[in-house]
Amino acid sequence: MATIFSKIAAGEIPSYKVAEDDRFFAFLDINPMVEGHTLVIPRKEVDYIFDLDDETYRGLTAFAKKVAEAIKRAIPCKRVGVAVLGMEVPHAHIHLVPLQKESDMDFRADKKQLTPERFKEIASAIAAEFKN
Ligand code: 5GP
């Protein structure tokens, strides 16, 4: 059965898309730690990131780098933090989180509540800065 993230990458479940190519897809986390919190996934369905074949793993990290550069240009931040947990969704994904301070990356903190309009604005701003 397809994972929820495969359905998102296929456009079967809506998301706030940030970037895509034929192998990878980036979209806003629906429960963001801060504005601009983005998830980057391979279209290939593999649960654990370190079970990806080397070529897909390298491609995913290279794609995530370009997404992080776009986030840095679009969202005021000092750095874009990177994390991999995978405790909730069994489809490999990289969290990219624009950081002003260390505590902006806190997986246990209350998540930001954003309107659909704000999600759209943030996704468009990052997408506009993405250079494939
Ligand atoms: P993890 O598996 O890395 O522990 O966490 C999964 C992340 O995916 C969480 O930050 C959660 O908010 C996000 N997430 C879970 N389901 C959805 C969804 O349907 N859409 C989006 N955009 N994000 C999701």
Side-chain angles (χ1 to χ4, degrees):
M1 206 180 74
T3 67
I4 188 158
F5 284 179
S6 286
K7 290 180 183 166
I8 284 174
E12 292 163 15
I13 289 178
S15 70
Y16 300 100
K17 184 175 82 176
V18 162
E20 68 176 324
D21 69 8
D22 56 336
R23 293 196 299 154
F24 307 105
F25 193 90
F27 58 106
L28 296 182
D29 194 298
I30 206 66
N31 293 306
M33 285 183 262
V34 292
E35 290 194 353
H37 179 177
T38 298
L39 302 174
V40 187
I41 65 170
R43 291 184 188 276
K44 185 181 274 189
E45 223 172 63
V46 172
D47 175 359
Y48 181 45
I49 192 165
F50 296 125
D51 285 336
L52 288 169
D53 62 86
D54 287 357
E55 200 200 330
T56 306
Y57 178 78
R58 279 195 291 270
L60 177 66
T61 54
F63 190 81
K65 180 178 183 224
K66 289 189 285 184
V67 176
E69 288 164 350
I71 293 171
K72 185 81 171 61
R73 285 191 284 270
I75 311 267
C77 62
K78 289 189 178 153
R79 300 236 161 166
V80 175
V82 186
V84 176
L85 281 79
M87 301 305 288
E88 185 188 324
V89 179
H91 185 134
H93 53 280
I94 295 175
H95 293 258
L96 297 176
V97 184
L99 303 175
Q100 288 290 4
K101 53 189 187 310
E102 190 180 321
S103 58
D104 285 340
M105 176 102 83
D106 180 352
F107 284 85
R108 289 186 291 191
D110 290 341
K111 302 299 190 284
K112 291 271 178 302
Q113 302 283 330
L114 305 177
T115 62
E117 291 69 33
R118 189 65 189 141
F119 271 117
K120 274 183 217 153
E121 279 172 13
I122 296 165
S124 306
I126 300 170
E129 294 292 346
F130 182 76
K131 298 180 175 79
N132 207 348

